[in-house]
PDB file of all heavy atoms in Angstrom:
ATOM      1  N   MET D   1       0.847  -1.202   0.006  1.00 34.00           N
ATOM      2  CA  MET D   1      -0.007  -0.017  -0.005  1.00 34.00           C
ATOM      3  C   MET D   1       0.862   1.247   0.018  1.00 34.00           C
ATOM      4  O   MET D   1       1.867   1.299   0.750  1.00 34.00           O
ATOM      5  CB  MET D   1      -0.950   0.034   1.293  1.00 34.00           C
ATOM      6  CG  MET D   1      -1.892   1.158   1.276  1.00 34.00           C
ATOM      7  SD  MET D   1      -2.944   1.107   2.701  1.00 34.00           S
ATOM      8  CE  MET D   1      -1.806   1.510   4.006  1.00 34.00           C
ATOM      9  N   SER D   2       0.587   2.191  -0.792  1.00 38.00           N
ATOM     10  CA  SER D   2       1.355   3.427  -0.918  1.00 38.00           C
ATOM     11  C   SER D   2       1.127   4.310   0.375  1.00 38.00           C
ATOM     12  O   SER D   2       0.062   4.262   0.944  1.00 38.00           O
ATOM     13  CB  SER D   2       0.967   4.225  -2.169  1.00 38.00           C
ATOM     14  OG  SER D   2      -0.348   4.654  -2.051  1.00 38.00           O
ATOM     15  N   THR D   3       2.148   5.065   0.707  1.00 42.00           N
ATOM     16  CA  THR D   3       2.066   5.904   1.873  1.00 42.00           C
ATOM     17  C   THR D   3       1.408   7.230   1.491  1.00 42.00           C
ATOM     18  O   THR D   3       1.782   7.850   0.491  1.00 42.00           O
ATOM     19  CB  THR D   3       3.454   6.248   2.414  1.00 42.00           C
ATOM     20  OG1 THR D   3       4.028   4.975   2.794  1.00 42.00           O
ATOM     21  CG2 THR D   3       3.378   7.150   3.630  1.00 42.00           C
ATOM     22  N   THR D   4       0.380   7.625   2.210  1.00 47.00           N
ATOM     23  CA  THR D   4      -0.317   8.834   1.857  1.00 47.00           C
ATOM     24  C   THR D   4       0.267  10.020   2.614  1.00 47.00           C
ATOM     25  O   THR D   4       1.003   9.897   3.571  1.00 47.00           O
ATOM     26  CB  THR D   4      -1.837   8.736   2.267  1.00 47.00           C
ATOM     27  OG1 THR D   4      -1.903   8.605   3.639  1.00 47.00           O
ATOM     28  CG2 THR D   4      -2.438   7.475   1.652  1.00 47.00           C
ATOM     29  N   THR D   5      -0.178  11.227   2.187  1.00 46.00           N
ATOM     30  CA  THR D   5       0.249  12.410   2.903  1.00 46.00           C
ATOM     31  C   THR D   5      -0.125  12.321   4.370  1.00 46.00           C
ATOM     32  O   THR D   5       0.630  12.687   5.350  1.00 46.00           O
ATOM     33  CB  THR D   5      -0.331  13.674   2.242  1.00 46.00           C
ATOM     34  OG1 THR D   5       0.042  13.737   0.851  1.00 46.00           O
ATOM     35  CG2 THR D   5       0.194  14.878   2.897  1.00 46.00           C
ATOM     36  N   HIS D   6      -1.346  11.806   4.634  1.00 50.00           N
ATOM     37  CA  HIS D   6      -1.879  11.714   6.002  1.00 50.00           C
ATOM     38  C   HIS D   6      -0.928  10.811   6.787  1.00 50.00           C
ATOM     39  O   HIS D   6      -0.612  11.133   7.897  1.00 50.00           O
ATOM     40  CB  HIS D   6      -3.266  11.160   5.848  1.00 50.00           C
ATOM     41  CG  HIS D   6      -3.960  11.133   7.210  1.00 50.00           C
ATOM     42  ND1 HIS D   6      -3.846  12.163   8.171  1.00 50.00           N
ATOM     43  CD2 HIS D   6      -4.915  10.260   7.712  1.00 50.00           C
ATOM     44  CE1 HIS D   6      -4.622  11.933   9.236  1.00 50.00           C
ATOM     45  NE2 HIS D   6      -5.276  10.767   8.964  1.00 50.00           N
ATOM     46  N   ASP D   7      -0.646   9.649   6.212  1.00 75.00           N
ATOM     47  CA  ASP D   7       0.296   8.738   6.982  1.00 75.00           C
ATOM     48  C   ASP D   7       1.684   9.382   7.238  1.00 75.00           C
ATOM     49  O   ASP D   7       2.298   9.229   8.274  1.00 75.00           O
ATOM     50  CB  ASP D   7       0.500   7.449   6.107  1.00 75.00           C
ATOM     51  CG  ASP D   7      -0.784   6.657   5.966  1.00 75.00           C
ATOM     52  OD1 ASP D   7      -1.666   6.683   6.850  1.00 75.00           O
ATOM     53  OD2 ASP D   7      -0.908   5.972   4.895  1.00 75.00           O
ATOM     54  N   THR D   8       2.169  10.082   6.262  1.00 85.00           N
ATOM     55  CA  THR D   8       3.398  10.725   6.454  1.00 85.00           C
ATOM     56  C   THR D   8       3.452  11.756   7.572  1.00 85.00           C
ATOM     57  O   THR D   8       4.368  11.835   8.348  1.00 85.00           O
ATOM     58  CB  THR D   8       3.855  11.372   5.116  1.00 85.00           C
ATOM     59  OG1 THR D   8       3.868  10.540   4.063  1.00 85.00           O
ATOM     60  CG2 THR D   8       5.202  12.110   5.243  1.00 85.00           C
ATOM     61  N   ALA D   9       2.332  12.443   7.704  1.00 88.00           N
ATOM     62  CA  ALA D   9       2.241  13.450   8.784  1.00 88.00           C
ATOM     63  C   ALA D   9       2.238  12.736  10.159  1.00 88.00           C
ATOM     64  O   ALA D   9       2.823  13.284  11.131  1.00 88.00           O
ATOM     65  CB  ALA D   9       0.934  14.290   8.637  1.00 88.00           C
ATOM     66  N   ILE D  10       1.630  11.617  10.222  1.00 92.00           N
ATOM     67  CA  ILE D  10       1.657  10.865  11.529  1.00 92.00           C
ATOM     68  C   ILE D  10       2.998  10.315  11.805  1.00 92.00           C
ATOM     69  O   ILE D  10       3.579  10.513  12.903  1.00 92.00           O
ATOM     70  CB  ILE D  10       0.647   9.676  11.456  1.00 92.00           C
ATOM     71  CG1 ILE D  10      -0.759  10.305  11.280  1.00 92.00           C
ATOM     72  CG2 ILE D  10       0.673   8.878  12.765  1.00 92.00           C
ATOM     73  CD1 ILE D  10      -1.879   9.164  11.038  1.00 92.00           C
ATOM     74  N   ASP D  11       3.608   9.674  10.824  1.00 91.00           N
ATOM     75  CA  ASP D  11       4.903   9.033  10.989  1.00 91.00           C
ATOM     76  C   ASP D  11       5.985  10.075  11.388  1.00 91.00           C
ATOM     77  O   ASP D  11       6.894   9.784  12.214  1.00 91.00           O
ATOM     78  CB  ASP D  11       5.351   8.268   9.722  1.00 91.00           C
ATOM     79  CG  ASP D  11       4.435   7.136   9.468  1.00 91.00           C
ATOM     80  OD1 ASP D  11       3.745   6.582  10.470  1.00 91.00           O
ATOM     81  OD2 ASP D  11       4.405   6.595   8.328  1.00 91.00           O
ATOM     82  N   ALA D  12       5.877  11.250  10.793  1.00 94.00           N
ATOM     83  CA  ALA D  12       6.888  12.334  11.065  1.00 94.00           C
ATOM     84  C   ALA D  12       6.938  12.767  12.513  1.00 94.00           C
ATOM     85  O   ALA D  12       7.916  13.359  12.907  1.00 94.00           O
ATOM     86  CB  ALA D  12       6.678  13.517  10.124  1.00 94.00           C
ATOM     87  N   LEU D  13       5.835  12.533  13.251  1.00 96.00           N
ATOM     88  CA  LEU D  13       5.775  13.074  14.653  1.00 96.00           C
ATOM     89  C   LEU D  13       6.697  12.438  15.583  1.00 96.00           C
ATOM     90  O   LEU D  13       6.795  12.888  16.777  1.00 96.00           O
ATOM     91  CB  LEU D  13       4.318  12.998  15.142  1.00 96.00           C
ATOM     92  CG  LEU D  13       3.247  13.860  14.405  1.00 96.00           C
ATOM     93  CD1 LEU D  13       1.875  13.548  14.875  1.00 96.00           C
ATOM     94  CD2 LEU D  13       3.520  15.327  14.677  1.00 96.00           C
ATOM     95  N   GLY D  14       7.298  11.302  15.189  1.00 95.00           N
ATOM     96  CA  GLY D  14       8.116  10.541  16.169  1.00 95.00           C
ATOM     97  C   GLY D  14       9.008  11.312  17.084  1.00 95.00           C
ATOM     98  O   GLY D  14       8.928  11.019  18.339  1.00 95.00           O
ATOM     99  N   PRO D  15       9.799  12.322  16.640  1.00 96.00           N
ATOM    100  CA  PRO D  15      10.715  12.974  17.567  1.00 96.00           C
ATOM    101  C   PRO D  15       9.944  13.713  18.714  1.00 96.00           C
ATOM    102  O   PRO D  15      10.675  14.051  19.757  1.00 96.00           O
ATOM    103  CB  PRO D  15      11.381  13.933  16.645  1.00 96.00           C
ATOM    104  CG  PRO D  15      11.417  13.279  15.331  1.00 96.00           C
ATOM    105  CD  PRO D  15      10.112  12.588  15.245  1.00 96.00           C
ATOM    106  N   PHE D  16       8.655  13.978  18.582  1.00 97.00           N
ATOM    107  CA  PHE D  16       7.969  14.634  19.652  1.00 97.00           C
ATOM    108  C   PHE D  16       7.684  13.669  20.814  1.00 97.00           C
ATOM    109  O   PHE D  16       7.216  14.176  21.924  1.00 97.00           O
ATOM    110  CB  PHE D  16       6.635  15.202  19.144  1.00 97.00           C
ATOM    111  CG  PHE D  16       6.731  16.479  18.384  1.00 97.00           C
ATOM    112  CD1 PHE D  16       6.523  16.454  17.051  1.00 97.00           C
ATOM    113  CD2 PHE D  16       7.050  17.641  19.037  1.00 97.00           C
ATOM    114  CE1 PHE D  16       6.573  17.654  16.262  1.00 97.00           C
ATOM    115  CE2 PHE D  16       7.059  18.841  18.292  1.00 97.00           C
ATOM    116  CZ  PHE D  16       6.957  18.815  16.911  1.00 97.00           C
ATOM    117  N   GLY D  17       8.037  12.418  20.714  1.00 95.00           N
ATOM    118  CA  GLY D  17       7.660  11.446  21.749  1.00 95.00           C
ATOM    119  C   GLY D  17       8.568  11.448  22.854  1.00 95.00           C
ATOM    120  O   GLY D  17       8.258  10.859  23.909  1.00 95.00           O
ATOM    121  N   GLU D  18       9.809  12.029  22.818  1.00 94.00           N
ATOM    122  CA  GLU D  18      10.799  11.985  23.910  1.00 94.00           C
ATOM    123  C   GLU D  18      11.620  13.229  23.895  1.00 94.00           C
ATOM    124  O   GLU D  18      12.232  13.615  22.937  1.00 94.00           O
ATOM    125  CB  GLU D  18      11.598  10.795  23.708  1.00 94.00           C
ATOM    126  CG  GLU D  18      12.547  10.538  24.905  1.00 94.00           C
ATOM    127  CD  GLU D  18      13.348   9.283  24.804  1.00 94.00           C
ATOM    128  OE1 GLU D  18      13.138   8.525  23.843  1.00 94.00           O
ATOM    129  OE2 GLU D  18      14.196   8.955  25.741  1.00 94.00           O
ATOM    130  N   VAL D  19      11.606  13.878  25.086  1.00 96.00           N
ATOM    131  CA  VAL D  19      12.407  15.092  25.267  1.00 96.00           C
ATOM    132  C   VAL D  19      13.858  14.687  25.518  1.00 96.00           C
ATOM    133  O   VAL D  19      14.154  13.818  26.340  1.00 96.00           O
ATOM    134  CB  VAL D  19      11.853  15.912  26.504  1.00 96.00           C
ATOM    135  CG1 VAL D  19      12.708  17.174  26.686  1.00 96.00           C
ATOM    136  CG2 VAL D  19      10.427  16.326  26.235  1.00 96.00           C
ATOM    137  N   PRO D  20      14.844  15.345  24.896  1.00 96.00           N
ATOM    138  CA  PRO D  20      16.206  15.051  25.063  1.00 96.00           C
ATOM    139  C   PRO D  20      16.713  15.341  26.481  1.00 96.00           C
ATOM    140  O   PRO D  20      16.167  16.242  27.164  1.00 96.00           O
ATOM    141  CB  PRO D  20      17.017  15.894  24.041  1.00 96.00           C
ATOM    142  CG  PRO D  20      16.052  17.012  23.740  1.00 96.00           C
ATOM    143  CD  PRO D  20      14.700  16.451  23.839  1.00 96.00           C
ATOM    144  N   GLU D  21      17.650  14.571  26.975  1.00 96.00           N
ATOM    145  CA  GLU D  21      18.052  14.613  28.358  1.00 96.00           C
ATOM    146  C   GLU D  21      18.568  16.024  28.783  1.00 96.00           C
ATOM    147  O   GLU D  21      18.469  16.453  29.894  1.00 96.00           O
ATOM    148  CB  GLU D  21      19.059  13.478  28.759  1.00 96.00           C
ATOM    149  CG  GLU D  21      19.311  13.375  30.246  1.00 96.00           C
ATOM    150  CD  GLU D  21      17.989  13.145  31.025  1.00 96.00           C
ATOM    151  OE1 GLU D  21      17.096  12.560  30.541  1.00 96.00           O
ATOM    152  OE2 GLU D  21      17.980  13.586  32.220  1.00 96.00           O
ATOM    153  N   TRP D  22      19.349  16.664  27.831  1.00 96.00           N
ATOM    154  CA  TRP D  22      19.928  17.955  28.152  1.00 96.00           C
ATOM    155  C   TRP D  22      18.904  18.960  28.486  1.00 96.00           C
ATOM    156  O   TRP D  22      19.097  19.846  29.291  1.00 96.00           O
ATOM    157  CB  TRP D  22      20.782  18.483  26.976  1.00 96.00           C
ATOM    158  CG  TRP D  22      20.060  18.871  25.759  1.00 96.00           C
ATOM    159  CD1 TRP D  22      19.931  18.069  24.610  1.00 96.00           C
ATOM    160  CD2 TRP D  22      19.381  20.116  25.446  1.00 96.00           C
ATOM    161  NE1 TRP D  22      19.184  18.743  23.665  1.00 96.00           N
ATOM    162  CE2 TRP D  22      18.853  19.987  24.115  1.00 96.00           C
ATOM    163  CE3 TRP D  22      19.122  21.243  26.185  1.00 96.00           C
ATOM    164  CZ2 TRP D  22      18.174  20.985  23.560  1.00 96.00           C
ATOM    165  CZ3 TRP D  22      18.483  22.299  25.561  1.00 96.00           C
ATOM    166  CH2 TRP D  22      17.946  22.146  24.289  1.00 96.00           C
ATOM    167  N   LEU D  23      17.593  18.752  27.968  1.00 96.00           N
ATOM    168  CA  LEU D  23      16.549  19.683  28.225  1.00 96.00           C
ATOM    169  C   LEU D  23      15.663  19.183  29.403  1.00 96.00           C
ATOM    170  O   LEU D  23      15.211  20.040  30.142  1.00 96.00           O
ATOM    171  CB  LEU D  23      15.671  19.790  26.930  1.00 96.00           C
ATOM    172  CG  LEU D  23      14.476  20.743  27.003  1.00 96.00           C
ATOM    173  CD1 LEU D  23      14.918  22.178  27.351  1.00 96.00           C
ATOM    174  CD2 LEU D  23      13.807  20.681  25.621  1.00 96.00           C
ATOM    175  N   ALA D  24      15.540  17.872  29.574  1.00 97.00           N
ATOM    176  CA  ALA D  24      14.735  17.381  30.544  1.00 97.00           C
ATOM    177  C   ALA D  24      15.359  17.354  31.981  1.00 97.00           C
ATOM    178  O   ALA D  24      14.673  17.329  33.013  1.00 97.00           O
ATOM    179  CB  ALA D  24      14.306  15.895  30.205  1.00 97.00           C
ATOM    180  N   GLY D  25      16.689  17.325  32.017  1.00 97.00           N
ATOM    181  CA  GLY D  25      17.344  17.091  33.330  1.00 97.00           C
ATOM    182  C   GLY D  25      16.947  17.981  34.435  1.00 97.00           C
ATOM    183  O   GLY D  25      16.700  17.512  35.553  1.00 97.00           O
ATOM    184  N   LEU D  26      16.845  19.300  34.208  1.00 97.00           N
ATOM    185  CA  LEU D  26      16.506  20.313  35.208  1.00 97.00           C
ATOM    186  C   LEU D  26      15.158  19.949  35.852  1.00 97.00           C
ATOM    187  O   LEU D  26      14.890  20.182  37.068  1.00 97.00           O
ATOM    188  CB  LEU D  26      16.534  21.661  34.747  1.00 97.00           C
ATOM    189  CG  LEU D  26      16.071  22.797  35.625  1.00 97.00           C
ATOM    190  CD1 LEU D  26      17.102  22.906  36.863  1.00 97.00           C
ATOM    191  CD2 LEU D  26      16.004  24.143  34.925  1.00 97.00           C
ATOM    192  N   MET D  27      14.154  19.446  35.036  1.00 97.00           N
ATOM    193  CA  MET D  27      12.803  19.200  35.501  1.00 97.00           C
ATOM    194  C   MET D  27      12.634  17.859  36.133  1.00 97.00           C
ATOM    195  O   MET D  27      11.529  17.529  36.599  1.00 97.00           O
ATOM    196  CB  MET D  27      11.845  19.384  34.339  1.00 97.00           C
ATOM    197  CG  MET D  27      12.019  20.713  33.579  1.00 97.00           C
ATOM    198  SD  MET D  27      11.850  22.181  34.632  1.00 97.00           S
ATOM    199  CE  MET D  27      10.045  22.135  34.999  1.00 97.00           C
ATOM    200  N   ARG D  28      13.620  17.034  36.091  1.00 96.00           N
ATOM    201  CA  ARG D  28      13.486  15.694  36.709  1.00 96.00           C
ATOM    202  C   ARG D  28      13.621  15.764  38.260  1.00 96.00           C
ATOM    203  O   ARG D  28      14.453  16.523  38.721  1.00 96.00           O
ATOM    204  CB  ARG D  28      14.576  14.740  36.179  1.00 96.00           C
ATOM    205  CG  ARG D  28      14.425  14.418  34.714  1.00 96.00           C
ATOM    206  CD  ARG D  28      15.102  13.093  34.299  1.00 96.00           C
ATOM    207  NE  ARG D  28      15.018  12.940  32.877  1.00 96.00           N
ATOM    208  CZ  ARG D  28      13.985  12.476  32.197  1.00 96.00           C
ATOM    209  NH1 ARG D  28      12.818  12.170  32.837  1.00 96.00           N
ATOM    210  NH2 ARG D  28      14.054  12.297  30.896  1.00 96.00           N
ATOM    211  N   PRO D  29      12.781  15.012  39.021  1.00 94.00           N
ATOM    212  CA  PRO D  29      12.885  15.100  40.429  1.00 94.00           C
ATOM    213  C   PRO D  29      14.244  14.775  40.991  1.00 94.00           C
ATOM    214  O   PRO D  29      14.875  13.861  40.591  1.00 94.00           O
ATOM    215  CB  PRO D  29      11.839  14.055  40.903  1.00 94.00           C
ATOM    216  CG  PRO D  29      10.891  13.832  39.661  1.00 94.00           C
ATOM    217  CD  PRO D  29      11.739  14.105  38.434  1.00 94.00           C
TER     218      PRO D  29
END
Side-chain angles (χ1 to χ4, degrees):
M1 184 178 69
S2 62
T3 301
T4 66
T5 304
H6 187 36
D7 297 330
T8 301
I10 297 174
D11 294 340
L13 292 172
F16 282 108
E18 186 175 357
V19 178
E21 189 57 32
W22 67 262
L23 184 55
L26 176 64
M27 306 305 287
R28 294 202 186 282

